[in-house]
Amino acid sequence: MRYDNINSFYLLKIKEWLNNNIKTIRFVNYLTGDKSEEDLRYFEKKDGNYYEHAKNSVNIYKKNMDIIGALGLKGGFDSIFFLQPSIYTLSDGTKHDQSVFKLWKTERRNMYIAFIQGYKQFKLLSKGDKNLIDLSGIFNNVDKPIYRDYCHVGPLGDEKIAENIFPYVYKIIKKEIHD
């Protein structure tokens, strides 16, 4: 998880949007010198114990999965979770995707290290939990550009993700229709 407090992250994003889109707020911030944008060097400032951070993140995620699973049992719905692909998990790719990877690996070295540690822990979790589906390799062997940056995909990426999620969602819907 990028931020220790997800609500603070959401509030920051809302504030950034307001700052960037509301002229009066932009002007006030200009006059007051408010520089509250997200610090892109977040990982560069964290202590280097990314293995522990990764384990903690996975434990929190697992607890959240358990809570949602319990809600599903009580509410009568099934739940599934997906380990998303990332530029860091792409085994090959177009020149564009490789350049995106190289940029993020070079410019944000600690972010790359943190991601790899987290990814390893989530891979372990996905092997032990049938409700966590690993989609991290779905872009391998795709010969068109997928990524906009280290985690955001373009239209083709969205399409591939939807194609890979659909069978799991369809299986749940089909089960509910027949029950």
Side-chain angles (χ1 to χ4, degrees), residues 97-115:
D97 290 330
Q98 290 302 321
S99 69
V100 170
F101 169 76
K102 207 176 280 186
L103 171 75
W104 281 92
K105 185 177 178 183
T106 305
E107 295 293 319
R108 300 286 186 254
R109 180 81 180 142
N110 287 349
M111 182 183 211
Y112 169 73
I113 293 167
F115 179 87

Side-chain angles (χ1 to χ4, degrees), residues 19 25 56 89 164:
N19 286 340
I25 293 174
N56 291 338
T89 61
N164 282 272

Side-chain angles (χ1 to χ4, degrees), residues 2-176:
R2 251 183 82 102
Y3 279 79
D4 299 326
N5 180 339
I6 194 67
N7 290 332
S8 294
F9 174 75
Y10 289 140
L11 289 173
L12 177 64
K13 288 299 170 189
I14 291 168
K15 189 175 179 182
E16 284 179 8
W17 184 88
L18 290 171
N19 286 340
N20 292 327
N21 292 289
I22 308 299
K23 291 178 183 177
T24 305
I25 293 174
R26 263 197 327 237
F27 182 65
V28 169
N29 286 338
Y30 171 77
L31 292 176
T32 62
D34 183 7
K35 304 284 186 226
S36 60
E37 290 185 11
E38 178 184 358
D39 184 355
L40 295 176
R41 296 172 306 279
Y42 175 79
F43 287 98
E44 310 310 318
K45 293 179 179 179
K46 284 291 256 189
D47 68 64
N49 195 351
Y50 297 122
Y51 176 75
E52 281 302 314
H53 292 304
K55 283 179 29 182
N56 291 338
S57 292
V58 168
N59 288 335
I60 291 168
Y61 193 85
K62 176 64 174 140
K63 287 176 186 174
N64 288 335
M65 287 173 56
D66 293 343
I67 291 168
I68 293 169
L71 288 171
L73 286 174
K74 186 156 178 84
F77 63 86
D78 291 328
S79 56
I80 49 176
F81 305 87
F82 298 95
L83 179 56
Q84 76 176 35
S86 163
I87 195 73
Y88 298 133
T89 61
L90 190 64
S91 66
D92 55 8
T94 64
K95 283 183 180 181
H96 167 78
D97 290 330
Q98 290 302 321
S99 69
V100 170
F101 169 76
K102 207 176 280 186
L103 171 75
W104 281 92
K105 185 177 178 183
T106 305
E107 295 293 319
R108 300 286 186 254
R109 180 81 180 142
N110 287 349
M111 182 183 211
Y112 169 73
I113 293 167
F115 179 87
I116 294 302
Q117 288 299 321
Y119 174 71
K120 288 176 185 175
Q121 295 300 312
F122 276 98
K123 284 289 275 189
L124 290 173
L125 180 61
S126 73
K127 289 180 180 175
D129 193 314
K130 66 178 175 53
N131 290 328
L132 179 58
I133 312 302
D134 182 4
L135 298 180
S136 60
I138 65 171
F139 297 148
N140 294 341
N141 304 316
V142 175
D143 62 353
K144 294 180 180 161
I146 297 286
Y147 288 95
R148 293 185 178 176
D149 61 24
Y150 69 98
C151 69
H152 298 102
V153 298
L156 181 59
D158 288 335
E159 182 181 323
K160 294 290 181 191
I161 290 170
E163 286 172 359
N164 282 272
I165 287 176
F166 176 78
Y168 297 99
V169 174
Y170 179 73
K171 183 178 176 182
I172 290 172
I173 292 170
K174 189 174 166 185
K175 178 183 164 205
E176 288 184 16

